[in-house]
Amino acid sequence: MTSTGLDELKSAIPNYAKDLRLNLGSVVGDSELPTQRLWGTVLVCAIASRSRAVLLALGPEARARLSAEAYTAAKSAAAMMAMTNVFHRTRHLLSDPEYGKLRAGLRMNVLGNPGVERTDFELWSLAVSAINGCGACLDSHEQVLRKAGVDRETIQEAFKIASVIQAVGTTLDAEAVLAEADEVG
C-alpha cells in the first residue's frame, strides 16, 4: 500500500498534538462529502493555511483527486478569498459604516463562472473565510449555501476541515521554527 500525502502529513504531527492527527484522519479520511467537494475544500484550506508543509503534502493529492477544472476553480476560490476576506473584514471592523456604501472596485470575474458547481465554489469560499476570520464573508457564503439547499452538516464539515488543516499547519510550522532555533541555539 502506497503512502499518501495525507498519511505523510499525519505522521509528521508531533505526539503532543495527537488530537490533530486523529481529527485530520477523520475530517478528511472519513468525510462523507463527495470527492470534488472534499478535496476542493482540502486544497483551498491548505492554500489558506499558508503552511508549506501542509500544501506540499495535500496539494498533489488534491490535484490527483480533482478534475483539472475543479483544481483550478479551488485555487481561484482561495485566491479570491485571500483578497475579499481582507477587504470585507476590514470594512466590517471599521466603525464608520460609510465604507460599506462605497463601491469596492475590485475585479472578481471568476465569481461569474467559477468552472464548477456554484455550491462547491461557495463551500470552498466559506472554508477559506473561516481560516481568514471574515465574519461578513462567512455569513454571506453560508446564506447562499443554505438558499441553494446545502444542509448545515455539510457547511459544518467545511469549517471543521478548515479548522483542523489550519491547526495542523500552525503546529508543523511552529515545530519547524523551533527545530531551526534549536540548531542555532
Side-chain angles (χ1 to χ4, degrees):
M1 183 168 159
T2 61
S3 179
T4 66
L6 179 61
D7 294 332
E8 292 169 13
L9 190 61
K10 286 176 7 187
S11 70
I13 298 170
N15 285 334
Y16 70 80
K18 178 182 176 184
D19 288 334
L20 293 181
R21 184 181 314 121
L22 297 172
N23 286 332
L24 183 61
S26 66
V27 300
V28 177
D30 299 334
S31 177
E32 293 184 15
L33 293 177
T35 300
Q36 178 171 295
R37 213 169 249 190
L38 170 64
W39 283 97
T41 303
V42 168
L43 179 59
V44 298
C45 292
I47 293 169
S49 77
R50 298 175 187 86
S51 170
R52 179 177 171 79
V54 168
L55 191 53
L56 281 171
L58 298 178
E61 192 161 350
R63 182 190 294 264
R65 293 175 184 259
L66 293 168
S67 68
E69 295 81 12
Y71 183 75
T72 298
K75 292 191 306 180
S76 295
M80 273 298 98
M81 292 303 103
M83 176 184 68
T84 59
N85 288 162
V86 171
F87 181 81
H88 290 293
R89 184 178 65 235
T90 302
R91 264 187 168 179
H92 174 76
L93 291 172
L94 289 170
S95 60
D96 185 348
E98 293 301 312
Y99 288 102
K101 298 175 185 174
L102 298 175
R103 182 178 170 275
L106 298 172
R107 293 193 179 274
M108 296 179 259
N109 293 330
V110 71
L111 301 179
N113 182 13
V116 292
E117 194 176 313
R118 170 79 50 205
T119 53
D120 288 350
F121 195 85
E122 287 289 337
L123 193 72
W124 300 340
S125 298
L126 178 132
V128 174
S129 298
I131 289 174
N132 291 335
C134 181
C137 297
L138 282 166
D139 280 342
S140 175
H141 295 296
E142 190 268 347
Q143 289 170 13
V144 169
L145 287 163
R146 294 292 293 142
K147 284 180 187 165
V150 177
D151 60 41
R152 286 181 179 88
E153 291 78 12
T154 297
I155 294 168
Q156 181 170 290
E157 274 298 303
F159 62 83
K160 280 171 52 178
I161 292 167
S163 65
V164 172
I165 288 177
Q166 176 65 20
V168 168
T170 299
T171 302
L172 294 179
D173 289 355
E175 283 297 307
V177 170
L178 291 170
E180 187 177 326
D182 287 345
E183 288 176 14
V184 172

